[in-house]
Amino acid sequence: MSRIIAKTLYNLDRLLVFFLSRRQKNRIFSRINENILKDSIRVIETDKGGLKFNHLSSAYVASGIERFHEDEPETLQWIKSFNDGDVFWDIGANIGLYTLYAALGNKLNVYAFEPSALNYSLLIEHLDLNKLDKNVVALCIAFSNTTSIDKIYIRNPVPGSGSSLSHPSSQFGEYEPAFQQGIISYELDKFREIFNLEQPDHIKIDVDGIEPQIIQAGINTLSGAKSLLVEVEGVNRDKFDSEIVGKLSDIGLIENEEVRHMGHKRNRLYIKNADNR
């Protein structure tokens, strides 16, 4: 419906200026664009303060920001439970919704990882808008079960769109990509070893399809974490249940099953068993 309305308004604008000169048309369209840009910043109020977003970057972005409080209340609740000084890794940060919320207040050490250059660019813009660039280490890299130079396949060439590593397929099957982008991919454990990084306390993994591969190559890192929030849906459910849940249990990460029924019902939360800390 939104696409139909947008296209109708666009065609109406063109019709209204049809008989004007090119110079006049360009002046009118530039003024329309100026007015739209003035309204491009949307402030979302949170319990930690306001967050600014460029919500007109794409339809995906506008939708995600509008549903900030409704889409994943379990993620917000989880982040609120962190202790001051904890280290949080947001793997698949997209445009930075939860990265920014975690960084607000300067009480956490936040790392954000987003392979899509389109999403990463907007993530950086949002960090700048909110003056949180000193609070977050944001990197345009991917994680998987190999350390290599690879490609990501982007579904739509706009910010907020999903992408897939190595193959144009997600947890819902194959798709026709709009764009390919080169990327460096790391195994989680090897990444920490190469750069001598401190142990993350909390890890969020939302990468549209290869969550199991990331976990399999990051068991040592996960074994030292206090909690893990991971998106599990589509064809990944069976693989996750058969190959991953047991490994998480072995390192003391036990599921809080209440989270399965919150928000969009795609996330699973695993908490370190107190006996294994």
Side-chain angles (χ1 to χ4, degrees), residues 118 153-158 161-162 168 175-181:
L118 293 166
Y153 296 83
I154 298 172
R155 282 194 283 267
N156 291 295
V158 295
S161 175
Y175 60 87
E176 186 65 33
F179 183 74
Q180 300 178 26
Q181 175 203 315

Side-chain angles (χ1 to χ4, degrees), residues 49-67:
L51 285 173
K52 297 177 183 177
F53 296 98
N54 183 351
H55 74 128
L56 297 184
S57 301
S58 76
Y60 297 104
V61 173
S63 179
I65 291 170
E66 198 60 38
R67 299 199 309 264

Side-chain angles (χ1 to χ4, degrees), residues 133-146:
D133 51 298
K134 294 180 181 178
N135 302 23
V136 178
V137 176
L139 299 171
C140 189
I141 62 172
F143 287 108
S144 184
N145 57 355
T146 62

Side-chain angles (χ1 to χ4, degrees), residues 146-189:
T146 62
T147 294
S148 62
I149 294 176
D150 208 330
K151 287 184 178 181
I152 59 169
Y153 296 83
I154 298 172
R155 282 194 283 267
N156 291 295
V158 295
S161 175
S163 62
S164 302
L165 184 70
S166 300
H167 305 284
S169 62
S170 69
Q171 65 271 44
F172 301 114
E174 295 186 1
Y175 60 87
E176 186 65 33
F179 183 74
Q180 300 178 26
Q181 175 203 315
I183 196 70
I184 296 177
S185 172
Y186 291 94
E187 296 163 79
L188 196 57
D189 288 339

Side-chain angles (χ1 to χ4, degrees), residues 69-108:
H69 290 289
E70 293 76 30
D71 203 21
E72 295 190 29
E74 71 278 14
T75 302
L76 299 176
Q77 182 177 311
W78 173 58
I79 292 172
K80 281 196 287 186
S81 74
F82 299 170
N83 296 320
D84 292 357
D86 278 356
V87 179
F88 171 50
W89 282 21
D90 188 354
I91 298 175
N94 201 269
I95 63 167
L97 293 178
Y98 303 109
T99 291
L100 292 166
Y101 179 71
L104 195 60
N106 196 26
K107 294 181 179 180
L108 300 173

Side-chain angles (χ1 to χ4, degrees), residues 213-272:
Q213 290 94 312
I214 292 175
I215 290 172
Q216 287 172 333
I219 287 296
N220 290 337
T221 298
L222 291 168
S223 67
K226 298 175 183 177
S227 66
L228 165 69
L229 186 76
V230 57
E231 185 177 89
V232 182
E233 60 177 341
V235 298
N236 270 350
R237 281 200 185 94
D238 291 341
K239 180 180 179 65
F240 198 89
D241 289 335
S242 64
E243 299 181 16
I244 303 301
V245 171
K247 293 182 179 180
L248 294 179
S249 178
D250 289 343
I251 60 174
L253 285 168
I254 307 302
E255 184 181 1
N256 176 351
E257 295 193 6
E258 291 182 3
V259 168
R260 285 198 192 198
H261 309 290
M262 299 175 67
H264 58 30
K265 301 179 181 179
R266 297 195 295 262
N267 283 329
R268 294 190 189 180
L269 175 60
Y270 294 85
I271 304 292
K272 179 58 66 72

